[in-house]
């Protein structure tokens, strides 16, 4: 059976775009606050359910869903930082405590979402008809996803290299003590990053909910590849994540082709990100970041 | 001369360990004060405790006549006290220019261009490497960048923790010259140094710490000429 490699590349770009949007905030907050926030999974889930709420329950256009997901998750991220993690850290919690706390917070948010919207999988009820561009089968949604990731990449680059806050983000994650000695307002920068990162996680969750389906476990199912991207990219490194998102996107899509050819279930797709995660941790635990120097 | 920075009866350490015991340090405007002592004698701890990087158990810190005991590091910067840590004193994955910009982070006036130019005049070595990653600089350039970053706020007091440690001999005198020029421009400098001879040469006054206690303080010139003190406290043979 012939493989449409152009389509494989395109699908990789779609997957990579999703992972990029999802992982940017995770890697930056990990770099700033020093612990992996597992509640990130539920930030994505909430983004998806904001879409469900706006599109299915309120009957508004899907564009409003993006605004709602961005705002709701941004506020949730800020509250999580201020109300939970900074609170615990001020009371002497170490990085491990904070990580476990994030798993607990994730549970709480997941069950609240399950209580409000129910546990069975559902959809936004929007059709995204496929059409052909040359050899590619595409949908408006996939194109919008790639476009969003491109815009995000450009904005993040400008933010991190041209703005005071962006440079401060890089400075804090590279050397917190010196950042403090320079008088950088670490609190404010960290809060803004948590809010912005969570807002992006919400957008990623919304896209995934629209592409596939949504359930309260949506984020939990996505968090493994998103962590793989974060680790492969090198914690705290935006440029690392940019590369890693598309590397893992490509690996997964080539893996799907290989699995199909071998007659195996594409359910094993998840294992690909997991294998990359393990191999990275063994061979290059610092990730790709050093190769880029920048954060 | 009027003291601009005074630390009185400082007891400092980490968590519940006291490392520095009842040390007092005084710095007059426009002078260089050295803190000397062997490895682990508490020099860094003393300096860090004054700005909130280490725990201050007891004592008072005065700056410009105000009591600033228990100040936080970021607040110290805005008041005009800047600090260069002993290790990790540059942002390695930022460029030289970006390091300086972060040094000026607290400046609200927005006119950092002029200060940047001023700092580059003082450190022409850095002006040639604005776009270089700080992590790629040589040891000497790195120390210059560390000091230059702290100068971006035009501090009245500059605390330097072993700026000469681990530098090649030929990189040392350029840094010395910069420190003197910074003093000449009106910034009081506190310099931590392990090499006694160098410290006495550059400073007006010095404090000698051993095991967290001040065992000797005084005028650097007279200590240099006091054979007894040199042998007893500093291990320097004439
Ligand atoms: N963060 C810390 N927590 C606990 N103890 C510390 C910490 N930093 C230093 N110490 C201890 O405090 C003592 C004094 O250390 P300090 O760094 O102040 O000495 P120093 O005079 O600066 O030495 P050096 O010349 O090697 O820099 C040492 O015994 C050291 O082990
Ligand atoms: Mg020291």
């Amino acid at each position: 059976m012939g493989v449409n490699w152009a389509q494989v590349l395109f699908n990789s770009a779609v997957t990579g775009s999703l992972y990029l949007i999802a992982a940017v905030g995770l890697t930056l907050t990990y770099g700033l606050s020093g612990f992996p926030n597992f509640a990130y999974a539920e930030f994505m889930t909430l983004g998806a359910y904001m879409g469900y709420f706006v599109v299915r329950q309120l009957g508004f256009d899907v564009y409003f869903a993006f605004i709602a997901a961005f705002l709701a998750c941004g506020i949730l991220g800020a509250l999580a930082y201020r109300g939970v993690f900074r609170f615990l850290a001020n009371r002497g919690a170490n990085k491990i405590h904070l990580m476990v706390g994030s798993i607990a917070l994730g549970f709480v948010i997941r069950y609240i979402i399950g209580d409000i919207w129910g546990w069975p999988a559902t959809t936004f009820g929007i059709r995204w008809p496929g059409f052909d561009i040359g050899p590619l089968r595409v949908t408006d949604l996939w194109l919008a996803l790639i476009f969003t990731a491109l815009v995000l990449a450009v904005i993040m680059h400008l933010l991190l290299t041209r703005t005071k806050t962006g440079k401060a983000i890089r400075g804090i994650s590279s050397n917190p003590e010196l950042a403090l000695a320079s008088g950088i307002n670490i609190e404010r920068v960290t809060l803004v990053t948590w809010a912005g990162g969570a807002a992006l996680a919400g957008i990623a969750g919304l896209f995934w909910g629209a592409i596939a389906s949504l359930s309260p476990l949506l984020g939990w199912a996505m968090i493994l590849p998103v962590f793989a991207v974060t680790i492969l990219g090198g914690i705290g490194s935006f440029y690392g994540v940019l590369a890693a998102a598309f590397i893992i996107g490509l690996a997964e899509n080539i893996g799907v082709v290989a699995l199909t050819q071998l007659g195996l279930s594409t359910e094993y797709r998840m294992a690909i990100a997991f294998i990359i995660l393990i191999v990275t941790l063994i061979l290059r635990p610092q990730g790709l970041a050093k190769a880029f120097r920048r954060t | 001369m009027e003291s601009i920075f005074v630390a009185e009866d400082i007891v400092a350490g980490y968590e519940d360990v006291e490392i520095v015991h009842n040390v007092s340090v005084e710095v007059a405007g426009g002078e260089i004060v050295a803190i000397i002592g062997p490895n682990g004698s508490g020099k860094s701890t003393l300096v860090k405790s004054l700005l909130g990087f280490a725990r201050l158990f007891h004592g008072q810190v005065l700056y410009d006549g105000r009591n600033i005991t228990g100040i936080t590091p970021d607040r110290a910067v805005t008041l005009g006290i800047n600090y260069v840590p002993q290790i990790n004193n540059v942002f390695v994955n930022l460029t030289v220019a970006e390091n300086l910009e972060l040094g000026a982070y607290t400046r609200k006036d927005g006119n950092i261009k002029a200060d940047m130019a001023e700092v580059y005049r003082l450190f022409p070595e850095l002006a040639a490497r604005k776009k270089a990653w700080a992590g790629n600089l040589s040891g000497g350039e790195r120390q210059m960048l560390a000091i230059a970053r702290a100068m971006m706020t035009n501090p009245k007091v500059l605390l330097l923790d072993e700026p000469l440690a681990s530098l090649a001999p030929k990189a040392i005198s350029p840094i010395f010259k910069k420190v003197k020029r910074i003093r000449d421009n009106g910034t009081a400098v506190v310099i931590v140094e392990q090499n006694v001879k160098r410290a006495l040469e550059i400073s007006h006054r010095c404090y000698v710490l051993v095991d967290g206690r001040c065992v000797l303080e005084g005028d650097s010139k007279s200590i240099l000429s006091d054979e007894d003190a040199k042998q007893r406290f500093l291990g320097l043979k004439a």
Side-chain angles (χ1 to χ4, degrees):
Chain A
M1 199 173 71
V3 176
N4 180 350
W5 287 105
Q7 187 72 46
V8 172
L9 280 180
F10 178 80
N11 292 351
S12 304
V14 172
T15 313
S17 297
L18 182 72
Y19 290 166
L20 174 65
I21 300 169
V24 164
L26 181 62
T27 199
L28 292 182
T29 55
Y30 197 161
L32 289 182
S33 300
F35 71 96
N37 172 21
F38 281 87
Y40 228 76
E42 278 63 38
F43 295 174
M44 294 190 270
T45 311
L46 179 69
Y49 276 92
M50 287 319 291
Y52 182 83
F53 175 64
V54 168
V55 174
R56 284 286 287 270
Q57 294 177 299
L58 299 182
F60 286 151
D61 198 279
V62 72
Y63 299 109
F64 293 104
F66 283 91
I67 298 170
F70 191 87
L71 293 179
C73 293
I75 292 168
L76 178 63
L79 286 178
Y81 172 67
R82 269 287 162 90
V84 180
F85 299 112
R86 197 187 63 159
F87 176 81
L88 292 175
N90 285 347
R91 251 143 254 258
N94 65 25
K95 310 294 185 210
I96 303 289
H97 300 148
L98 294 175
M99 185 187 82
V100 173
S102 78
I103 297 174
L105 175 67
F107 261 107
V108 172
I109 300 173
R110 195 185 315 161
Y111 277 83
I112 292 174
I113 289 175
D115 262 356
I116 297 176
W117 284 290
W119 290 89
T122 177
T123 68
F124 294 163
I126 304 176
R127 291 182 161 281
W128 305 92
F131 56 96
D132 292 329
I133 301 180
L136 299 178
R137 188 80 181 158
V138 305
T139 70
D140 285 341
L141 185 62
W142 295 348
L143 293 175
L145 173 55
I146 294 175
F147 178 73
T148 306
L150 283 176
V151 171
L152 175 67
V154 172
I155 291 177
M156 285 307 298
H157 172 70
L158 294 177
L159 179 88
L160 290 170
T161 57
R162 304 285 160 84
T163 71
K164 200 167 153 175
T165 301
K167 289 170 197 169
I169 291 174
R170 292 163 55 210
I172 297 168
S173 70
S174 122
N175 192 337
E177 179 152 316
L178 192 62
L180 194 58
S182 302
I184 293 173
N185 189 337
I186 296 180
E187 263 310 309
R188 211 208 72 200
V189 173
T190 308
L191 179 67
V192 169
T193 309
W194 272 76
L200 290 173
I203 298 294
L206 179 62
F207 267 116
W208 190 239
I211 288 175
S213 64
L214 66 164
S215 86
L217 295 175
L218 172 141
W220 195 239
M222 255 179 87
I223 198 77
L224 178 70
V226 171
F227 262 108
V229 165
T230 302
I231 307 266
L232 176 62
I235 291 154
S237 166
F238 164 71
Y239 298 91
V241 152
L242 186 56
F246 290 97
I247 290 172
I248 292 188
L250 189 63
E252 279 193 13
N253 284 282
I254 290 176
V256 167
V257 172
L259 289 169
T260 317
Q261 301 269 328
L262 292 170
L264 295 170
S265 162
T266 53
E267 287 288 313
Y268 290 114
R269 178 186 180 128
M270 268 299 188
I272 295 165
F274 188 62
I275 291 167
I276 293 177
L277 176 64
I278 299 292
V279 171
T280 309
L281 287 174
I282 292 170
L283 295 183
R284 199 181 162 85
Q286 76 277 31
L288 299 172
K290 270 275 154 53
F292 297 95
R293 196 89 244 187
R294 294 157 174 269
T295 351
Chain B
M1 210 193 270
E2 190 79 354
S3 288
I4 181 160
F5 193 63
V6 182
E8 279 174 2
D9 204 22
I10 298 299
V11 178
Y14 304 94
E15 285 164 30
D16 48 8
V17 193
E18 291 182 6
I19 287 168
V20 173
H21 311 283
N22 311 94
V23 175
S24 298
V25 174
E26 222 171 287
V27 188
E31 98 175 322
I32 299 179
V33 166
I35 296 177
I36 315 175
N39 265 324
S41 55
K43 307 179 296 294
S44 297
T45 306
L46 170 63
V47 168
K48 288 200 275 186
S49 72
L50 305 180
L51 302 183
F53 284 107
R55 184 154 172 206
L56 187 61
F57 291 98
H58 177 83
Q60 260 203 354
V61 186
L62 307 174
Y63 166 71
D64 225 357
R66 302 164 53 179
N67 187 340
I68 59 157
T69 312
I71 197 168
T72 55
D74 50 328
R75 185 94 185 91
V77 174
T78 54
L79 286 181
I81 309 165
N82 221 316
Y83 160 66
V84 177
Q86 181 171 356
I87 48 166
N88 296 330
N89 52 17
V90 298
F91 296 105
V92 289
N93 55 0
L94 270 67
T95 65
V96 167
E98 287 171 338
N99 267 270
L100 297 181
E101 287 166 34
L102 283 192
Y105 189 87
T106 55
R107 309 263 323 227
K108 295 277 182 282
D109 46 18
N111 185 24
I112 68 164
K113 280 255 165 59
D115 295 284
M116 198 102 128
E118 184 63 37
V119 165
Y120 281 136
R121 252 198 302 287
L122 184 60
F123 296 95
E125 302 84 346
L126 297 177
R129 311 214 51 191
K130 288 177 193 174
K131 294 261 161 66
W133 299 116
N136 291 346
L137 298 179
S138 71
E141 289 169 333
R142 215 170 144 135
Q143 287 299 340
M144 289 194 193
L145 178 59
I147 299 172
R149 179 201 55 81
M151 290 310 293
M152 286 298 293
T153 46
N154 283 321
K156 285 197 203 151
V157 177
L158 179 63
L159 305 167
L160 300 175
D161 196 347
E162 295 201 37
L164 306 177
S166 74
L167 284 190
K170 70 172 170 38
I172 287 178
S173 100
I175 305 256
F176 252 38
K177 289 199 185 107
K178 310 290 183 197
V179 172
K180 284 187 177 143
R181 269 191 62 187
I182 287 169
R183 188 270 327 269
D184 291 342
N185 291 344
T187 301
V189 180
V190 176
I191 184 168
V192 175
E193 180 53 55
Q194 271 201 42
N195 183 315
V196 178
K197 216 160 149 278
R198 282 202 304 249
L200 290 176
E201 276 163 18
I202 196 178
S203 61
H204 302 98
R205 285 183 314 105
C206 75
Y207 296 82
V208 181
L209 289 196
V210 175
D211 283 340
R213 288 175 205 284
C214 183
V215 296
L216 178 66
E217 66 170 274
D219 193 79
S220 300
K221 276 213 189 73
S222 43
I223 293 179
L224 256 180
S225 58
D226 179 344
E227 293 306 328
D228 182 46
K230 272 193 343 194
Q231 285 195 17
R232 271 180 46 219
F233 297 110
L234 312 173
L236 278 186
K237 297 269 169 354

